[in-house]
Structure formats: C-alpha cells, structure tokens
C-alpha cells in the first residue's frame, strides 16, 4: 500500500500445559516459553510498531510471592527491548545460582520474574491518541485476591464507548478514562468480581475464607463472565485476558471482524492474530491451526484444560477483507492465493483500458505488498494469451498478428517503481515540500518507449490519493509514457472504518472527494442536505444514509473523476484509474466478506451510526473522529 495507514494490533498468547520442569528437561533451556512468544510477536511486527507489551503469570505461587510480571515499551524496537530485559532476569539467576539454577523450575519460579506458565504479548498500532507507556497493552487490574486480578490486551475498537461508560457509572463505578480499552477492562473486571462473589456465597456457610479462595480459583466460570460482559459490546474485537489464578481466554466478536487463531497439543495452547506466526514458532502444518469462531471464546482453565465456548450468538461472518488484501502477512497460503486471485480478476478491465494493445504496454507494481496481486495479474495475462493462441491454432480463428509473434509474445514486465531512501520533508514551504515528496519514489529509466508505451501499475488500494498525486504519478511521468493506468486490487474506499483501521474521516478518501466533485458539477448539492437531514433526524438508526451519496454515479464515473483529481497540471501522460469490483472481491476472498469500507454494509448497528455521524462531522466542518 503506497499510502500507509495504521490498522489492527496483534496479540499472542501462550499457555504451558505441563509442569515447568518438563520444558527444562525436554528443551534444555529455561527460555522455552519466552523464546516462543518472542517469535510469535516478531512474526507479527507488521501489526504494530508504536509499542509492545508482555505479561506473565505464575500459577500456584505461595503468598508473599510476586506472581504477575509485566513489561511495556514504546522504544523503536520495543519487542527486542522487552525480551532483552526478560533475558537479563535469567542471566541474573545464573549469576546468583549458577548453572544449576537454570535447570530448576521451582527455583526460577520462586526467584525470577517472567518464569510462569501463562504468557500474553501485544503489538500496538495506535490509531488515535497519544503514544505513551500508559496506552500500551497489556493493561492490569490488580487486587489482593489472586482470582480477581485481570490482565488484558486486545485488537479492538468499540463503536459504543459512551454507552459502555454509562453502564459502568450506573453500576456505581468511577472510570478514570472514557476509552474503549478502559471501559472494556472494567466491564469484564466487574463480572469477574461478581463471579468470585457467587462462588464465595456458595461456600461461605461451610468453609473458611482460605478454603473458599482455593474453590474459587478452581471453579471460576470464565465463559459465564464473558457472556455477561460482552453482551453490550458493539465493535470488532479479539480480546485476550489472563486471570490471576492462571485461567486465560481469547474472545472474538460475533461477526468475526478481528482475527484470532490457535493451536493446541499436550504441551501448549497458543493464540495469535495470524496463522504464519504460529506456523513459524512451532513448525506445524497449517491444517492444525484453528480459527476461533465468531462470537466464541477460547478458554484455558487453571488446570490447563481448554475449550471453545459460545459467548454471543454468531452473526453472518464479516471478517475484515483488508486483512487479506494488505494487513496480514502474505506468507499465509490462503492469503497468498487470494491476493493472486485479486490481481487475476482485474484482467478484463485492464485489457479494455489498454485497448487490448499488449505490445505497447508495460506492467509493473508499487512495492512491496502489491507484488502478489501483480503476479496474479501477470498469470491472468498469460492465460488470456494462451486462450488467444488456442483460438488461432485449434479453432482456426482469424488474427492480425504474425503467427511467430503470436507464439513467442510475452507480457512486458518491469519493476518501474521503487521506494527510495526516507527523505525528510520538514521544509515548510508547500511547493518545496511537494518537490521533496515527489522524490520519495524512484523509477527505472530507459525501459519505456517515449510517447508510445502505456504503463499499467498495480497497488493494493488507493485510499487518499495523495501519494499518487504528489509522488508516484510524477515519478512515472518522467518516463514520458503515452498513458498511465493505476490499478487498485481493492475496491473504492468510500466509508470510514470504526473497527480498528485508522480510516475515520470521510474527507480523506479520494472516492468521497471525487463524488463531491461530481455532485458539484451536476448541481446536486440538494442531495448533501437531504442526507444531512436524515443523519441528524435518525441518530439511532441502523441505516447507512451516506450510501445515498454514491447512488447517482457509476463506479466508472467516480474512478474517472479520481483520475482527474490526481492528475496535476505537470503530468503530460493520460491517466486512468481502475478499481476492483466488490463482486470480484467476494469471489476472490469468499470466506472473509467484511467490506463495509467499500460498500457501506457495516456488520453492527454501531457501525451504521458511526458512518452517519462521520458525514455530519464533515458537513459541520468538524475534523474529528466519529467514534
């Protein structure tokens, strides 16, 4: 994606199911668990570079012993920074106890932090707000009763924070912040306390408090806690939690918007936001990695037993398609195939745009994540050429080309665009700044025939259009092509995201700007006022009134206007823009149908309210988030 946007965070959870001494004996290292968590987090570093955090819980420690450890960091290499600190704990153990200390699980557990059975890691992409230690997950809710402690980290955004905050106030709480992270944690923490009290009341007539504490730790019904906590949540979430007694969970929203996968055997249970991380850490077959189902929670009890439980009735699955298009690592075999299919699906539109003139067309891509879609597009072109040859040779259809040329011709493929050094654009003068931005990308010279060739360049998506306008088109135009065709493997982004991606303001979308330009040209400003009135009069509706904005125009009309907007006066070549269709998106990615940023079909009522509020904000000139 040439236009960087922040997006979903990453989670990693690891639970050792056997006695800690087992891992020391088998793997000859006290660092089995932290090293595995390190790999899980490093393989998901694409999901968050604003900060990281790790928490660890020891099970069945003696009173007076610290059993919860946590490090968080906003250092540039936060994951390495945290694990370097953890490793120093073990070096200290060796210094004080000798080599024997590193082979004695009981010694480590009693004397060294981060030597417990339950681990939780988080990678943060801050979509809004300040970037500080306090904003980094995991968060910790502390209590002197072990089973009332809660550690949480997540990949989520809630659309109804105001409502959740009000519910907490109604319960008598005094939350310190009005953020989704705090409100979610306090909500779950409240019902964790009630679950503790429920079990206490069950035994209080017959047993001492000390005895009851042990009963509570063994009998906590984590699924029950989550059912009571999550019923008011509206948003996309994959939330992981550790309870002080050693129980843990990962719960997923009913639409499956945010991803969560797990693997379990007799030694471990592991959860991550992406399958390749689990594959890399444990070298298992992909088919052994399971997806936590929408509306379900994977619960791991204190004794290491685990199960997947329904928490909320599952809705139609709407997992985020942007995960597949761009965010998740392309090393996942399913994602790799899907991205190639997206490139292949664009072939009919591309051929029509170049008037089927392959001889005078050069194909390229914008590095690096568009490369897989580019490979699919080239395979599609080769399939088209094979079909043409078959028509001529086997079916005897007439043709204009020389037969030898037809048999030997291959699409012209070049790497035309490369990301150059990170040029600092600190110059305040706008014209000088734009000149600097134009040089962020470099190009390969003398492979394009001046005034003859058409360039077809594919990108993952076109969000704001600013990088195209300020940099990429300028760079490509220096090659003096006849035409430049920019191809997006994703459809037009028309609506804000409220479930995790940092796309919250409508005025930033090039498709929205193009539609406004068409409305102005055709003197349809009344439509804007009509939509505003509907949004203001129906604030609690589950209808997306902003869809009405796009209905008068075809996709092609909006694409043509986008091309016009991004073509500055300095560009000499003709510019066209091609977008993926929503229908093709669903054909290429049939199991991940979350497409609200393209179609406006938000999977929750909160999403519908957010998009209407975003339009009202735009009309009122408020440059603020709508949730």
């Amino acid at each position: 994606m040439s236009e960087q946007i922040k997006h979903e965070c990453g989670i990693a959870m690891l639970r050792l199911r056997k006695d800690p001494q087992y891992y020391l004996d088998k793997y000859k290292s006290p660092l089995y668990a932290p090293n595995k968590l390190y790999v899980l987090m490093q393989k998901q570093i694409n999901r968050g570079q604003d900060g990281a955090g790790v928490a660890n819980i020891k099970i069945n420690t003696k009173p007076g012993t610290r059993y919860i450890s946590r490090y968080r960091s906003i250092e540039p290499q936060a994951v390495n920074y945290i694990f370097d600190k953890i490793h120093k704990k073990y070096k200290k153990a060796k210094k004080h106890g000798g080599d024997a200390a590193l082979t004695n699980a009981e010694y480590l557990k009693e004397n060294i932090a981060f030597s417990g059975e339950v681990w939780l890691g988080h990678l943060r992409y801050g979509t809004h707000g300040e970037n500080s230690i306090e904003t980094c997950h995991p968060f910790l809710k502390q209590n002197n009763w072990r089973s009332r402690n809660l550690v949480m980290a997540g990949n989520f955004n809630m659309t109804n924070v105001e409502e959740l905050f009000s519910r907490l106030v109604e319960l008598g709480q005094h939350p310190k912040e009005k953020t989704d992270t705090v409100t979610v944690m306090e909500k779950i923490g409240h019902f964790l306390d009630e679950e503790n009290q429920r079990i206490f009341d069950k035994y209080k007539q017959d047993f001492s408090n000390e005895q009851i504490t042990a009963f509570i730790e063994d009998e906590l019904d984590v699924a029950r806690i989550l059912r009571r906590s999550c019923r008011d949540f509206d948003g996309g979430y994959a939330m992981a939690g550790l309870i002080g007694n050693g129980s843990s969970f990962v719960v997923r929203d009913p639409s499956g918007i945010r991803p969560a996968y797990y693997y379990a055997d007799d030694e471990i249970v592991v959860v991550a936001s992406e399958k390749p991380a689990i594959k890399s850490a444990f070298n298992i077959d992909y088919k052994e990695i399971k997806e936590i189902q929408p509306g379900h929670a994977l619960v791991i009890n204190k004794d290491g037993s685990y199960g997947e439980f329904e928490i909320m009735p599952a809705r139609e699955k709407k997992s985020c398609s942007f995960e597949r298009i761009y965010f998740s690592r392309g090393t996942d075999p399913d994602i790799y195939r899907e991205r190639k299919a997206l490139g292949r699906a664009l072939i009919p539109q591309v051929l029509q745009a170049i008037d089927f003139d392959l001889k005078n067309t050069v194909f390229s891509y914008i590095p690096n994540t568009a490369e897989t879609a580019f490979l699919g597009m080239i395979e599609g072109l080769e399939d088209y050429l094979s079909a043409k040859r078959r028509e001529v040779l086997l079916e005897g259809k007439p043709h204009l080309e020389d037969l030898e040329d037809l048999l030997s011709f291959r699409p012209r493929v070049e790497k035309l665009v490369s990301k150059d050094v990170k040029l600092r654009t600190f110059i305040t003068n706008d014209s000088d700044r734009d000149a600097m931005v134009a040089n962020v990308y470099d190009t390969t010279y003398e492979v394009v025939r001046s005034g003859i060739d058409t360039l077809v360049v594919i990108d993952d998506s076109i969000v704001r259009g600013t990088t195209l306008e300020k940099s990429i088109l300028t760079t490509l135009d220096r090659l003096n092509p006849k035409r430049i065709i920019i191809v997006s493997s994703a459809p037009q982004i028309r609506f804000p995201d409220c479930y995790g991606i940092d796309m919250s303001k409508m005025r930033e979308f090039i498709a929205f700007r193009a539609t406004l330009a068409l409305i102005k040209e055709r003197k349809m400003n009344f439509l804007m006022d009509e939509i505003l009135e509907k949004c203001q009069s129906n604030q609690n509706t589950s209808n997306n009134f902003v869809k009405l904005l796009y209905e008068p125009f075809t996709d092609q009309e909006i694409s043509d206007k986008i091309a016009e907007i991004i073509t500055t006066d300095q560009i000499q070549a003709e510019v066209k823009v091609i977008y993926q269709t929503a229908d093709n998106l669903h054909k290429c990615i049939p199991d991940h149908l979350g497409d609200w940023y393209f179609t406006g079909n938000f999977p929750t009522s909160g999403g519908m309210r957010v998009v209407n509020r975003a339009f009202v904000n735009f009309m009122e000139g408020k440059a603020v988030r709508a949730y």
Side-chain angles (χ1 to χ4, degrees):
M1 185 181 289
S2 57
E3 299 170 316
Q4 188 71 26
I5 60 173
K6 294 185 176 182
H7 53 93
E8 298 88 15
C9 302
I11 56 174
M13 192 170 79
L14 176 65
R15 166 62 195 267
L16 301 179
R17 300 186 69 201
K18 293 183 178 292
D19 184 273
Q21 189 65 45
Y22 169 89
Y23 305 91
L24 285 170
D25 296 340
K26 180 175 179 178
Y27 296 104
K28 310 302 181 187
S29 170
L31 297 171
Y32 173 79
N35 284 351
K36 291 296 186 184
L37 188 71
Y38 174 75
V39 174
L40 287 170
M41 294 181 70
Q42 279 290 5
K43 291 298 181 180
Q44 297 183 101
I45 202 72
N46 54 297
R47 303 190 68 83
Q49 295 163 35
D50 290 336
V54 170
N56 177 242
I57 287 182
K58 303 173 185 178
I59 301 175
N60 290 328
T61 56
K62 298 174 182 177
T65 305
R66 183 180 294 274
Y67 58 94
I68 299 178
S69 303
R70 178 181 61 159
Y71 279 152
R72 296 180 294 175
S73 173
I74 55 171
E75 293 292 319
Q77 301 291 329
V79 174
N80 287 338
Y81 177 82
I82 288 171
F83 281 92
D84 282 347
K85 290 183 69 175
I86 291 173
H87 286 178
K88 286 178 182 177
K89 300 286 185 184
Y90 289 87
K91 291 178 181 177
K92 183 178 179 181
K94 182 177 180 179
K95 180 179 178 181
H96 290 286
D99 290 335
L102 299 183
T103 62
N104 187 325
E106 186 175 347
Y107 174 86
L108 292 172
K109 200 168 177 179
E110 289 181 359
N111 295 280
I112 301 299
F114 294 97
S115 58
E117 299 91 334
V118 195
W119 294 78
L120 176 60
H122 185 265
L123 298 137
R124 181 176 186 267
Y125 247 139
T127 54
H128 68 288
E130 63 177 3
N131 192 35
S132 65
I133 287 288
E134 286 71 27
T135 59
C136 284
H137 302 201
F139 286 82
L140 176 59
K141 180 179 171 64
Q142 292 182 292
N143 195 288
N144 237 18
W145 277 264
R146 195 158 54 183
S147 56
R148 291 175 184 254
N149 284 274
L150 180 63
V151 183
M152 284 198 65
N155 170 15
F156 64 91
N157 265 5
M158 297 297 172
T159 67
N160 62 334
V161 174
E162 292 282 349
E163 177 188 344
L164 294 174
F165 183 86
S166 297
R167 294 287 176 88
L168 292 174
V169 174
E170 290 168 6
L171 290 170
Q173 293 193 19
H174 190 89
K176 62 182 180 180
E177 290 181 64
K178 192 182 289 187
T179 63
D180 51 7
T181 306
V182 170
T183 51
V184 163
M185 184 163 193
E186 292 299 336
K187 192 94 160 39
I188 295 175
H190 169 76
F191 287 109
L192 173 62
D193 287 342
E194 287 205 348
E195 176 68 6
N196 273 262
Q197 189 64 46
R198 180 184 71 84
I199 301 172
F200 179 85
D201 292 342
K202 176 180 173 183
Y203 293 109
K204 66 181 180 181
Q205 299 298 329
D206 303 309
F207 298 92
S208 68
N209 284 7
E210 187 175 357
Q211 289 173 310
I212 295 174
T213 294
F215 296 151
I216 291 172
E217 292 198 4
D218 291 337
E219 294 183 23
L220 275 182
D221 189 339
V222 177
R224 184 176 188 270
I225 295 168
L226 294 173
R227 289 188 190 102
R228 302 183 73 200
S229 305
C230 297
R231 58 192 173 195
D232 297 327
F233 294 167
D234 187 299
Y237 54 86
M239 295 184 292
L242 314 181
I243 300 173
N245 71 324
S247 300
S248 55
F249 64 85
V250 176
V251 60
R252 197 172 178 210
D253 66 82
S255 300
I257 295 170
R258 299 273 69 85
Y261 301 91
Y262 75 98
Y263 165 76
D265 58 27
D266 62 343
E267 292 185 2
I268 53 98
V269 180
V270 57
V271 182
S273 296
E274 298 187 29
K275 289 193 287 185
I278 301 175
K279 167 70 175 177
S280 296
F282 296 94
N283 193 29
I284 55 175
D285 291 336
Y286 269 99
K287 63 183 179 181
E288 297 182 79
I289 303 171
K290 299 178 181 179
E291 182 177 9
I292 298 176
Q293 294 306 301
H296 285 62
L298 177 70
V299 175
I300 310 166
N301 298 310
K302 178 185 176 183
D303 63 4
S305 61
Y306 69 94
E308 196 172 344
F309 301 90
E310 183 180 83
I311 303 302
M312 298 283 288
R315 306 189 190 107
E316 181 184 3
K317 189 180 179 186
K318 293 287 185 178
S319 45
C320 176
S321 58
F322 248 128
E323 285 278 356
R324 323 299 289 185
I325 297 168
Y326 168 67
F327 294 143
S328 292
R329 280 179 175 256
T331 50
D332 183 309
D334 293 330
I335 292 176
Y336 184 76
R337 286 189 291 268
E338 289 163 2
R339 290 180 182 174
K340 288 183 76 173
L342 288 170
R344 187 188 296 268
L346 289 159
I347 291 303
Q349 293 170 265
V350 170
L351 289 172
Q352 189 171 13
I354 64 172
D355 301 319
F356 296 85
D357 183 11
L358 289 173
K359 287 185 176 179
N360 298 313
T361 302
V362 178
F363 294 89
S364 192
Y365 62 95
I366 297 173
N368 289 315
T369 53
E371 184 175 2
T372 306
F374 173 72
L375 293 175
M377 185 170 70
I378 297 305
E379 285 184 3
L381 287 173
E382 291 172 346
D383 289 345
Y384 166 77
L385 290 169
S386 295
K388 293 292 289 183
R389 296 181 185 114
R390 191 180 306 113
E391 288 177 0
V392 172
L393 297 176
L394 300 181
E395 300 174 22
K397 289 190 177 181
H399 62 97
L400 299 176
E401 303 91 343
D402 178 80
L403 187 58
E404 182 65 30
D405 289 343
L406 181 65
L407 291 173
S408 62
F409 180 79
R410 299 191 66 184
R412 296 172 59 196
V413 175
E414 303 289 352
K415 185 171 182 180
L416 294 179
V417 181
S418 57
K419 192 77 174 282
D420 209 349
V421 294
K422 288 188 175 181
L423 296 172
R424 296 185 65 190
T425 54
F426 50 81
I427 300 172
T428 55
N429 180 280
D430 287 343
S431 60
D432 288 341
R433 181 182 176 88
D434 288 348
M436 291 286 285
V437 170
N439 287 285
V440 169
Y441 285 89
D442 204 351
T443 188
T444 306
Y445 293 94
E446 298 188 13
V447 296
V448 174
R449 293 174 298 177
S450 177
I452 298 173
D453 287 336
T454 293
L455 307 185
V456 175
V457 182
I458 189 170
D459 196 359
D460 294 294
S461 65
I462 304 169
V463 186
R464 304 178 183 95
T466 49
T467 306
L468 283 174
E469 179 183 354
K470 304 289 187 185
S471 181
I472 293 172
L473 282 178
T474 301
T475 300
L476 293 173
D477 195 59
R478 292 176 187 151
L479 302 175
N480 197 28
K482 179 182 177 182
R483 284 183 296 184
I484 302 172
I485 300 174
I486 302 295
V487 184
S488 170
S489 66
Q492 296 170 1
I493 297 171
R494 300 179 172 187
F495 304 93
D497 182 75
C498 54
Y499 303 126
I501 305 173
D502 186 22
M503 300 190 306
S504 58
K505 302 180 186 74
M506 296 192 67
R507 61 185 175 83
E508 296 180 348
F509 305 144
I510 188 68
F512 180 71
R513 289 164 51 204
T515 304
L516 295 186
L518 290 169
I519 286 173
K520 184 177 181 180
E521 281 180 7
R522 301 183 189 184
K523 296 180 172 53
M524 297 173 62
N525 288 340
F526 64 88
L527 180 60
M528 306 278 287
D529 296 329
E530 289 177 359
I531 295 172
L532 177 62
E533 196 279 327
K534 288 179 183 293
C535 292
Q536 291 176 327
S537 302
N538 302 275
Q539 294 185 19
N540 294 318
T541 185
S542 293
N543 294 317
N544 178 356
F545 297 118
V546 185
K547 281 186 176 183
L548 300 172
L549 191 75
Y550 299 97
E551 286 186 357
F553 313 107
T554 66
D555 291 355
Q556 190 58 55
E557 286 175 318
I558 296 173
S559 293
D560 290 344
K561 181 56 67 174
I562 289 172
E564 184 181 317
I565 289 173
I566 63 176
T567 306
T568 64
D569 293 339
Q570 288 73 37
I571 302 297
Q572 299 299 311
E574 176 191 351
V575 176
K576 292 179 68 70
V577 175
I578 294 173
Y579 280 92
Q580 188 76 261
T581 67
D583 285 344
N584 277 343
L585 174 76
H586 295 155
K587 290 174 183 175
C588 297
I589 312 178
D591 298 324
H592 302 269
L593 300 177
D595 64 357
W596 50 90
Y597 15 69
F598 308 129
T599 65
N601 297 326
F602 289 81
T604 74
S605 57
M608 298 293 191
R609 290 193 293 271
V610 165
V611 68
N612 292 333
R613 196 179 307 132
F615 184 78
V616 172
N617 288 343
F618 169 78
M619 292 293 286
E620 294 179 349
K622 297 177 180 177
V624 296
R625 295 165 60 89
Y627 59 96

